[in-house]
Amino acid sequence: MGATLEIRNLHVSIDETPILRGVDLTINQGETHALMGPNGSGKSTLAYAMLGHPAYSVDEGEVLFDGVDVLELEPDERSRLGLFLAFQYPVSVPGVTVANFLRSAINSRRKQENAEDPGISIPEFRRLMKERMDFLDIDHSFAGRYLNAGFSGGEKKRNEILQLAVLQPRFAILDETDSGLDIDALRIVADGVNKLKGPELGVLVITHYKRMLDYLNPEYVHLMMDGRIVESGGAALAEEIEDYGYQPFFEKHGLEVTEE
Ligand code: ADP
Ligand code: MG
């Protein structure tokens, strides 16, 4: 049996303003879920709360990783359990390359498991990187780029997907970039997730772009509006969102339209 990530009745506020108002969502290892929803519906808030960002206060509810409440854990403990939150990594780290970062991430995890571990050898690390970059069709020069320094939206996403491929978490939550509509970034995420998905990985891809559904073909689709998941389904819900957009769902759920 694979692991389960279970979000139960999660209420989150920012500066005392309630944003998430009772989110329930269960993801099993091996499943791909898309969380859709208009701008401002609370999607990123869910991701930040999972990450333990101090500005996001959890007022109620829990997030269980195989029965352990991850909201009680430090971010590094969350990642040790196998929970990958793309943006728990620093926004910009001068002087650290993509490869340096990944190697130290692998080594710190190994050291946590066994203090005597000498870390991954350079040849072994090179082999791993080459194999993973070839698999994902990432140019080898990417490994030498300085982490996030002037990364485009697409490069940020490429970096996340490479981290996923190298660190091999059990669950990954990938939020869209805040850099606006970027088809390149959408494709990188969708193609990467399509290549990496399998029985060992549970993924939640967060986006408000309906087009993501074209590329990703998730088995499960959830629609967030006004701080709650108002609909969950599969291909049929994806088609409905693709064909008609969010507008009919605002009406259906008695909400004020905030976006076409
Ligand atoms: P989404 O990712 O779905 O576009 P967000 O989770 O970013 O939505 O935002 C949900 C709501 O929370 C919005 O109304 C937004 O204005 C508000 N919000 C987000 N971040 C902050 C913040 N740092 N301070 C105050 N309000 C915020
Ligand atoms: Mg967002």
Side-chain angles (χ1 to χ4, degrees):
M1 261 290 278
T4 298
L5 187 65
E6 201 180 349
I7 300 166
R8 283 191 192 162
N9 189 34
L10 192 65
H11 290 249
V12 172
S13 58
I14 308 171
D15 287 340
E16 321 238 312
T17 304
I19 309 288
L20 298 187
R21 292 160 336 116
V23 173
D24 293 287
L25 178 63
T26 299
I27 304 171
N28 294 302
Q29 224 178 334
E31 295 174 351
T32 302
H33 294 241
L35 179 65
M36 308 288 300
N39 273 322
S41 53
K43 304 180 302 297
S44 294
T45 300
L46 176 63
Y48 279 114
M50 303 277 290
L51 166 69
H53 190 293
Y56 296 75
S57 95
V58 174
D59 303 321
E60 217 183 309
E62 52 195 5
V63 178
L64 301 176
F65 187 124
D66 260 355
V68 177
D69 191 352
V70 304
L71 298 177
E72 305 289 324
L73 304 177
E74 297 299 320
D76 69 308
E77 295 174 307
R78 299 177 196 204
S79 89
R80 217 181 318 156
L81 270 177
L83 182 59
F84 175 93
L85 298 147
F87 45 136
Q88 78 192 49
Y89 300 97
V91 173
S92 176
V93 188
V96 176
T97 63
V98 168
N100 294 153
F101 174 79
L102 283 170
R103 186 156 180 253
S104 64
I106 291 172
N107 286 342
S108 77
R109 192 190 288 177
R110 284 191 177 195
K111 282 226 155 54
Q112 278 162 348
E113 273 156 26
N114 170 14
E116 311 284 290
D117 194 306
I120 188 166
S121 74
I122 288 181
E124 192 191 341
F125 179 68
R126 287 225 174 101
R127 250 193 323 272
L128 174 69
M129 287 291 284
K130 181 177 181 306
E131 193 265 317
R132 300 276 79 191
M133 287 191 289
D134 288 345
F135 178 64
L136 293 170
D137 242 334
I138 294 175
D139 193 280
H140 290 188
S141 64
F142 190 70
R145 292 283 307 277
Y146 289 104
L147 201 61
N148 288 348
F151 273 10
S152 67
E155 286 165 340
K156 282 183 185 159
K157 291 291 142 187
R158 190 166 286 126
N159 185 44
E160 280 175 23
I161 293 296
L162 181 60
Q163 286 178 8
L164 252 179
V166 171
L167 301 177
Q168 297 180 287
R170 292 194 277 175
F171 288 100
I173 298 175
L174 304 173
D175 194 9
E176 65 194 12
T177 54
D178 46 16
S179 57
L181 181 62
D182 184 341
I183 294 299
D184 187 38
L186 287 190
R187 289 221 77 130
I188 289 165
V189 171
D191 292 348
V193 168
N194 285 334
K195 280 187 174 170
L196 294 171
K197 71 183 175 194
E200 303 298 315
L201 180 64
V203 194
L204 180 66
V205 175
I206 300 178
T207 183
H208 81 285
Y209 300 122
K210 300 183 293 282
R211 190 178 296 229
M212 176 61 95
L213 297 169
D214 283 341
Y215 300 140
L216 186 65
N217 267 314
E219 307 143 69
Y220 302 90
V221 178
H222 310 277
L223 175 58
M224 182 175 274
M225 287 186 138
D226 205 27
R228 288 191 188 97
I229 291 178
V230 296
E231 308 240 347
S232 289
L237 177 58
E239 266 167 42
E240 215 179 320
I241 296 173
E242 280 197 69
D243 293 348
Y244 303 107
Y246 295 124
Q247 176 94 37
F249 293 99
F250 283 107
E251 287 160 19
K252 184 172 167 189
H253 295 283
L255 298 166
E256 201 183 315
V257 178
T258 57
E259 184 189 280
E260 285 304 302

